[in-house]
């Protein structure tokens, strides 16, 4: 399922990252790598705040849709 459907506070593992190669590289640079634990902190107004590798990162809903957990 896409990261946008995960419940807030629930830990998930990244299974796949979709999108164009540039998008995948951008997300990988932010720490979104297959097999990495990720948790949604909050989602509002089209943005999603997630915790990945002990960091909080805000990404757009469109980017979050490309991350499968």
């Amino acid at each position: 399922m896409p990261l946008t459907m995960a419940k807030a506070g629930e830990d998930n593992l990244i299974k796949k990252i979709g999108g164009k190669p540039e998008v995948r590289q951008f997300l990988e640079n932010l720490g979104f790598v297959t097999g990495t634990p990720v948790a949604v902190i909050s989602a509002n107004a089209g943005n999603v705040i997630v915790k990945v590798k002990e960091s909080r990162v805000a990404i757009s809903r469109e980017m979050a849709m490309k991350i499968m957990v």
Side-chain angles (χ1 to χ4, degrees):
M1 72 177 169
L3 185 60
T4 54
M5 294 183 71
K7 295 177 183 165
E10 185 179 276
D11 286 332
N12 295 286
L13 283 178
I14 298 174
K15 295 201 169 45
K16 180 183 173 188
I17 298 177
K20 295 181 181 178
E22 310 87 60
V23 173
R24 287 196 307 259
Q25 183 64 44
F26 174 75
L27 290 171
E28 186 177 309
N29 290 340
L30 289 176
F32 295 95
V33 181
T34 303
T36 303
V38 64
V40 174
I41 296 171
S42 68
N44 56 358
N47 295 317
V48 182
I49 300 173
V50 296
K51 179 181 175 190
V52 62
K53 293 188 176 180
E54 302 304 319
S55 299
R56 290 182 181 194
V57 181
I59 57 174
S60 68
R61 184 171 175 80
E62 290 79 24
M63 285 283 191
M65 290 290 288
K66 294 177 181 3
I67 302 170
M68 298 294 160
V69 294

